[in-house]
Amino acid sequence: MAKVILIFASMSGNTEMMAKAVSDGISAMGEGLKIIDIIDGPDAKELEDYDGILLGAYTWGDGELPADFLDFYDEMDSIHLTGKKAAVFGSCDSAYSQYGAAVDILTEKLRERGAEVYPQGLKVELTPEKEEEEACRTFGKNFVTFLRNSID
């Protein structure tokens, strides 16, 4: 069984809803995972202990990471994720010029640190409705398939 970690930031609860649905998809595939809210202060170095890494963040302002994610993001500069599989998701707001930029920022950082990132990050407009929650569960299931293809 692969070791999987999911770290998320949520201000309004939207990304937390996404994290729950993604984790449901992972669990449905028989994988366990550790879930951490970014406000609980995880150490980026911990990512090196996992086979699969999922990061979830809403986009703040005109295209920034949430303030709660900034220290963790900076800590990622000192870790090495070669051989790890990763994916990113987040709630977005199309009222801003950069739609879901936090997903793109975290995806790029994971690649920069050597992780193989799931081909498409998941972006959901504001509060996930039933259809988007199902897309999140499917995202979790697809991530497990992506992860298993590397460890078989």
Side-chain angles (χ1 to χ4, degrees):
M1 182 177 282
K3 287 182 66 178
V4 182
I5 189 168
L6 185 157
I7 299 173
F8 73 94
S10 187
M11 182 172 65
S12 63
N14 295 339
T15 304
E16 184 174 12
M17 288 175 65
M18 292 179 72
K20 170 74 171 98
V22 169
S23 70
D24 288 347
I26 292 168
S27 296
M29 295 288 286
E31 294 290 343
L33 77 155
K34 181 175 184 178
I35 303 171
I36 303 173
D37 188 321
I38 197 73
I39 62 172
D40 293 331
D43 184 344
K45 187 97 175 125
E46 187 175 0
L47 297 181
E48 293 178 335
D49 297 333
Y50 289 84
D51 306 304
I53 300 161
L54 294 119
L55 300 178
Y58 61 94
T59 299
W60 180 250
D62 238 2
E64 295 93 37
L65 285 175
D68 293 340
F69 232 107
L70 295 177
D71 288 342
F72 185 85
Y73 179 84
D74 290 340
E75 288 174 16
M76 289 177 71
D77 286 335
S78 65
I79 63 173
H80 303 283
L81 300 176
T82 302
K84 310 296 182 184
K85 298 282 184 143
V88 184
F89 63 92
S91 60
C92 310
D93 187 343
S94 59
Y96 293 105
S97 60
Q98 294 188 29
Y99 185 74
V103 172
D104 303 328
I105 291 166
L106 290 171
T107 296
E108 183 56 35
K109 179 62 81 175
L110 288 162
R111 284 190 179 123
E112 177 187 296
R113 303 317 309 150
E116 183 179 348
V117 182
Y118 187 71
Q120 184 67 41
L122 179 64
K123 299 177 181 181
V124 170
E125 177 76 10
L126 300 173
T127 306
E129 301 295 330
K130 286 196 182 295
E131 185 176 296
E132 287 93 6
E133 285 186 77
E134 186 56 39
C136 291
R137 282 188 284 280
T138 299
F139 184 77
K141 291 175 184 177
N142 290 343
F143 179 73
V144 170
T145 300
F146 174 68
L147 178 61
R148 288 178 178 166
N149 285 337
S150 71
I151 58 176
D152 287 345

